[in-house]
Amino acid sequence: MTDTRVLATTRLSGRPITDTDFGRIRSIHSDTRVAATLSADGRPFAKSHTRQALRSWKKHWDDHGFGVWLFHKTDGEFVGYAGAMHASIDGKPEVEVLYALRPDFWGDHFATEMATAVVQFAFDRLRVTELVAYTLPTNIASRRVMEKCGFAYEKETEHAGLRHVLYRLDEQGFRKTR
Ligand SMILES: CC(C)(COP(=O)(O)OP(=O)(O)OC[C@H]1O[C@@H](n2cnc3c(N)ncnc32)[C@H](O)[C@@H]1OP(=O)(O)O)[C@@H](O)C(=O)NCCC(=O)NCCS
């Protein structure tokens, strides 16, 4: 039987994250190049942060039936993760899209491929009406991934004590880009 929670793209396959994925997520969170764009102090995330993230992502799948997917190339190599999760932003309930890629694969449009699959799943299968994504203002690659998925800049917001830029995509905008 086909697993309806699997996301297939041209070059990648995504499956729900599991408890056994700590090492894979860690390979991204412990990388200094990732930390420079993602963590609040520019230093690699602590193991406890990765453990906590994995726990909350797993719980999100259990509670809501969607969350973060692990993506592999067709040859089986792990490239990164992307997902959609409930979040509260500026006191408002939102569904947030997130993604991160192993630096070995940066620059080959894999991030856009993962994020597009998640966005499509969210509008077509979850029937959400809007999605948001946010990043540090200096994270140009991430902002570009959002734009390529159809998101538009909305405003600045604060996350983890830092200024971030918030982007939004509604269903109408999504349908227009297809
Ligand atoms: C953000 C991230 C996922 C992007 O990965 P990637 O492989 O570069 O993504 P893609 O190749 O799909 O797209 C990147 C786009 O940004 C552009 N870009 C990258 N760096 C750039 C820069 N410094 N200036 C201008 N454009 C830039 C690329 O040219 C590409 O756009 P294009 O297709 O129009 O040419 C990756 O850098 C990452 O995992 N970073 C750490 C985690 C993170 O920051 N996640 C997002 C936070 S929400």
Side-chain angles (χ1 to χ4, degrees):
M1 206 172 71
T2 314
D3 187 344
T4 54
R5 301 172 313 161
V6 166
L7 295 184
T9 72
T10 311
R11 297 177 295 170
L12 303 171
S13 175
R15 57 141 179 90
I17 201 148
T18 71
D19 291 331
T20 60
D21 289 322
F22 180 80
R24 295 182 187 87
I25 303 300
R26 194 66 203 142
S27 71
I28 292 180
H29 284 183
S30 62
D31 193 293
T32 50
R33 292 164 290 181
V34 173
T37 60
L38 209 53
S39 82
D41 58 6
R43 293 169 55 189
F45 291 124
K47 274 188 182 167
S48 55
H49 174 99
T50 306
R51 221 171 274 121
Q52 173 54 32
L54 189 54
R55 248 197 309 269
S56 72
W57 295 345
K58 179 72 184 27
K59 184 171 178 339
H60 198 283
W61 267 106
D62 294 343
D63 291 349
H64 305 288
F66 68 98
V68 174
W69 284 261
L70 254 276
F71 284 84
H72 292 80
K73 289 194 292 161
T74 45
D75 65 6
E77 197 167 10
F78 165 63
V79 297
Y81 64 82
M85 292 183 64
H86 289 291
S88 173
I89 296 170
D90 296 340
K92 192 173 161 228
E94 305 275 13
V95 178
E96 165 205 353
V97 171
L98 59 111
Y99 41 82
L101 197 68
R102 282 176 56 197
D104 294 350
F105 296 107
W106 285 4
D108 205 10
H109 311 296
F110 282 122
T112 304
E113 203 166 312
M114 295 190 306
T116 302
V118 169
V119 165
Q120 194 163 335
F121 182 93
F123 283 115
D124 287 346
R125 307 263 294 276
L126 301 176
R127 312 296 296 172
V128 300
T129 54
E130 286 187 333
L131 291 170
V132 297
Y134 59 86
T135 192
L136 291 170
T138 49
N139 194 341
I140 306 298
S142 179
R143 297 179 72 156
R144 185 76 194 113
V145 170
M146 291 172 196
E147 288 163 3
K148 288 193 290 178
C149 289
F151 286 82
Y153 173 79
E154 180 175 285
K155 63 173 183 176
E156 290 194 348
T157 185
E158 199 177 292
H159 174 71
L162 294 174
R163 197 166 62 88
H164 281 68
V165 283
L166 183 81
Y167 284 66
R168 186 177 298 276
L169 173 63
D170 65 18
E171 190 179 358
Q172 206 182 5
F174 166 69
R175 303 278 168 220
K176 246 191 269 168
T177 63
R178 305 185 78 194

